[in-house]
Amino acid sequence: MATRLALVDDDQNILTSVALALEAEGYEVDTYFDGEQALAGLMRRPAALAILDIKMPRMDGTELLGKIRQKSAMPVIFLTSKDDELDEALGLSLGADDYITKPFSQRLLLARIRAVLRRAGGQAPLSESNDTIAQGDLLLDPDRHLCSWKGDEVKLTVTEFLLLQALALRPGHVKSRDQLMDAAYGDDIFLEDRTIDSHIKRIRRKFRAHDNLFDRIETLYGIGYKYKPDA
Amino acid sequence: MATRLALVDDDQNILTSVALALEAEGYEVDTYFDGEQALAGLMRRPAALAILDIKMPRMDGTELLGKIRQKSAMPVIFLTSKDDELDEALGLSLGADDYITKPFSQRLLLARIRAVLRRAGGQAPLSESNDTIAQGDLLLDPDRHLCSWKGDEVKLTVTEFLLLQALALRPGHVKSRDQLMDAAYGDDIFLEDRTIDSHIKRIRRKFRAHDNLFDRIETLYGIGYKYKPDA
DNA sequence: AATCTCTGCCTCAATCCTGCCGCGATCCTG
DNA sequence: CAGGATCGCGGCAGGATTGAGGCAGAGATT
């Protein structure tokens, strides 16, 4: 069930350390240290995504990408050195799905991998979906920034919308305050936990203004919040 | 319950001020001022996350990271000076989870710490699994923090949930109070044995409120408890 | 410039959780 | 069977967590 990634780089350090990191994230990783080896390996063990260093001896990344593209539409992410931007242009025009300049953080790499895999369509885009959410009486349309409860429009601010969206995306699933913070602001912002409570309070208040029995946002003491699905 | 962080920096000012800030946030912080000391300390007091300065006398951050990686997959955040980008490349491709360039805001540091811990925590769940447990009439879904008996929802607190999960994970197997304590709190906490009894009492009571014949949690005199599987 | 809105956070009171104690009942061991 | 160990249960008090109101600053709007 684990997604298999192919990692190609001639620098042994990068190869092993990045592989370790990815495996820690639950991916299976096949490592190759040059293009020819990678090409051969990919025939036998196809991967969901390939991560290629551009500069490699014997067969460089762009050439490898070309060969891969002859046989498969497998998503590809390029690794490039920071200073040679030419490579980026080259790689992308050749059909890479994304690129990352060294140095890169593990966080960035993971984000790109997830994004590319998501775009590639295999996985359910649960986290970032822009789709309308219709959970019983609740309707959330991100594109129109529209929220309604039992037909009545409920005016939410951006933050409130994002939080409710995160909750309603997986009805019944518990979200910690940290997770909600991620959903509304992203990784790099730290706020008081209790700020989430404040927003939840405001969301509840707005919904109760339309339906004073509204109780779909449940508090789980010591854990977080969840959106209760229809019974 | 407090998460322990390891902070390694040769600058005493940074060491103490950052440590203070982190402690104010509720973390336990072990501080070390060089790599060797840190390595020794980490053996005895393992931390959930290490924050390493890259430039240090005797053993620098990357070297320390290497040594740490030989023994553990502990998440690591690097601190780097803004001007030497080389360090970043080196550290990150070596397997650090993230990096922060000095000077950094406390807010960013906290955000990164949380993000890394979250990722790490999700990956390596302390106990056995995050899967739903379905044992006959019992249903335990950690993601939803949902517990039901014969279809009825039974509302459990976090501690109760963890204990029941530990028991139900291996139906028929005896769990000592110590083992249950580990499952619910981790192995860093000492509590009165009888406290487990109290929780078991409350779990039983809650289940009996739905089914007064409930007797699946069996007491093994002098040993512990076990969850009785279906006959 | 004068509002208005959004938002993060603070305070206070109410509620919930939990560790532990004591008592009586039960269970083993010799 | 007696004595001691162990356990179930009620209850309590402190601590942790949460809901609600409110406030001030930053931006946006008028």
Side-chain angles (χ1 to χ4, degrees), chain A residues 17 24 107 178 182 188 226, chain B residues 93 98 112 114 118 123:
Chain A
S17 62
R107 169 227 313 277
D178 271 358
D182 270 10
D188 276 357
K226 79 171 159 188
Chain B
S93 45
D98 214 333
R112 291 286 165 85
R114 288 186 173 215
R118 190 164 45 234
Q123 228 44 56

Side-chain angles (χ1 to χ4, degrees), chain B residues 4-213:
Chain B
R4 174 159 33 237
L5 311 180
L7 178 63
V8 193
D9 200 315
D10 58 317
D11 180 338
Q12 191 67 32
N13 283 337
I14 296 188
L15 208 55
T16 53
S17 65
V18 173
L20 274 178
L22 293 178
E23 276 162 4
E25 283 298 314
Y27 294 108
E28 276 183 37
V29 183
D30 292 344
T31 57
Y32 308 100
F33 52 82
D34 76 21
E36 294 185 9
Q37 195 204 24
L39 203 55
L42 281 172
M43 296 296 102
R44 272 174 300 127
R45 293 166 63 84
L49 166 72
I51 304 165
L52 315 181
D53 191 10
I54 287 203
K55 282 196 184 154
M56 284 185 300
R58 303 219 286 170
M59 188 193 302
D60 76 354
T62 57
E63 191 181 344
L64 176 54
L65 172 60
K67 304 250 187 203
I68 289 177
R69 276 286 174 278
Q70 287 176 12
K71 309 196 175 180
S72 141
M74 172 186 348
V76 166
I77 295 178
F78 267 137
L79 300 180
T80 82
S81 299
K82 195 163 196 171
D83 35 357
D84 48 344
E85 310 176 62
L86 267 187
D87 285 348
E88 301 176 10
L90 218 64
L92 290 166
S93 45
L94 264 173
D97 296 75
D98 214 333
Y99 67 91
I100 304 181
T101 55
K102 301 180 191 173
F104 52 86
S105 69
Q106 179 183 335
R107 168 170 299 213
L108 180 62
L109 176 60
L110 285 169
R112 291 286 165 85
I113 288 174
R114 288 186 173 215
V116 169
L117 283 180
R118 190 164 45 234
R119 283 198 302 256
Q123 228 44 56
L126 24 115
S127 59
E128 322 250 352
S129 81
N130 228 24
D131 294 336
T132 299
I133 297 175
Q135 275 301 322
D137 294 322
L138 177 71
L139 200 81
L140 284 174
D141 183 340
D143 286 337
R144 297 181 168 78
H145 190 77
L146 204 68
C147 165
S148 69
W149 176 251
K150 295 183 176 176
D152 279 9
E153 179 178 353
V154 181
K155 294 201 174 185
L156 300 180
T157 69
V158 183
T159 313
E160 291 160 2
F161 196 96
L162 289 172
L163 288 175
L164 183 55
Q165 192 180 15
L167 285 171
L169 198 57
R170 305 209 180 291
H173 287 238
V174 191
K175 294 279 185 187
S176 71
R177 288 173 175 74
D178 275 352
Q179 288 174 306
L180 291 173
M181 213 132 77
D182 274 9
Y185 308 94
D187 42 19
D188 283 349
I189 307 248
F190 168 75
L191 294 176
E192 214 51 51
D193 265 8
R194 300 300 307 281
T195 296
I196 299 295
D197 299 32
S198 279
H199 286 293
I200 297 288
K201 162 188 63 176
R202 287 166 188 139
I203 296 173
R204 281 172 169 156
R205 183 197 294 156
K206 286 184 179 180
F207 274 80
R208 276 201 298 262
H210 293 266
D211 172 2
N212 55 8
L213 294 179

